């Protein structure tokens, strides 16, 4: 991490010392910009609206509300089934200890890494 900070500082100093303010072009950039074709924003807006309407129509035709409802019910059924079928008798003291140690180590690692980023 320290090497990255040093590299960032060196790059910042390099670009600060070697900055080019403006390149004189006697108005060339402005003339080029005025000769570029104008964008037709109304065509983009119309195309976006047409696609949005087509998506909504397709969603309604293909019965999208029932598909979403069925997916939500399936997820709820899977979660509730998993919660009901959990057996507490399979947990041994060593598994509980390993879980507590793992959670503690991960929390400590996150705190240490957060402190290093702040400094």
């Amino acid at each position: 991490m320290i090497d990255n900070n040093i590299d960032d500082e060196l790059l910042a100093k390099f670009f600060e010392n070697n900055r080019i303010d403006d390149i004189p072009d006697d108005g060339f950039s402005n003339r080029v910009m005025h000769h570029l074709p104008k964008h037709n924003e109304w065509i983009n807006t119309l195309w976006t609206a047409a696609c949005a309407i087509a998506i909504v129509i397709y969603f309604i035709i293909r019965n999208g509300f029932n598909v979403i409802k069925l997916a939500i019910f399936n997820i709820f059924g899977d979660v509730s089934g998993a919660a009901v079928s959990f057996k507490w008798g399979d947990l041994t003291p060593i598994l509980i200890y390993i879980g507590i140690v793992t959670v503690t180590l991960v929390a400590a690692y996150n705190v240490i890494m957060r402190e290093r980023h702040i400094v």
Side-chain angles (χ1 to χ4, degrees):
M1 278 319 255
I2 295 173
D3 292 337
N4 289 341
N5 291 338
I6 293 172
D7 291 342
D8 291 341
E9 290 174 9
L10 288 173
L11 281 172
K13 285 180 184 178
F14 173 78
F15 286 121
E16 184 67 31
N17 294 335
N18 298 310
R19 182 174 29 161
I20 299 173
D21 292 329
D22 286 330
I23 299 174
D25 63 354
D26 297 325
F28 175 75
S29 299
N30 290 333
R31 288 193 306 271
V32 169
M33 292 302 289
H34 286 289
H35 288 293
L36 290 176
K38 301 292 181 196
H39 293 287
N40 294 328
E41 291 184 22
W42 66 274
I43 292 176
N44 293 337
T45 305
L46 181 65
W47 178 250
T48 302
C51 289
I53 291 169
I55 289 169
V56 169
I57 291 172
Y58 181 77
F59 184 78
I60 292 171
I61 289 173
R62 299 299 293 180
N63 216 357
F65 293 111
N66 286 337
V67 172
I68 290 175
K69 183 174 74 172
L70 181 63
I72 290 172
F73 285 150
N74 285 342
I75 290 170
F76 179 72
D78 291 344
V79 169
S80 63
V84 170
S85 66
F86 187 75
K87 295 180 184 176
W88 288 100
D90 291 341
L91 286 178
T92 61
I94 189 70
L95 288 176
I96 295 172
Y97 176 74
I98 290 172
I100 291 171
V101 168
T102 302
V103 169
T104 305
L105 289 175
V106 169
Y109 175 78
N110 287 337
V111 168
I112 290 170
M113 293 310 287
R114 183 173 292 148
E115 291 296 324
R116 285 188 180 176
H117 288 295
I118 290 174
V119 174

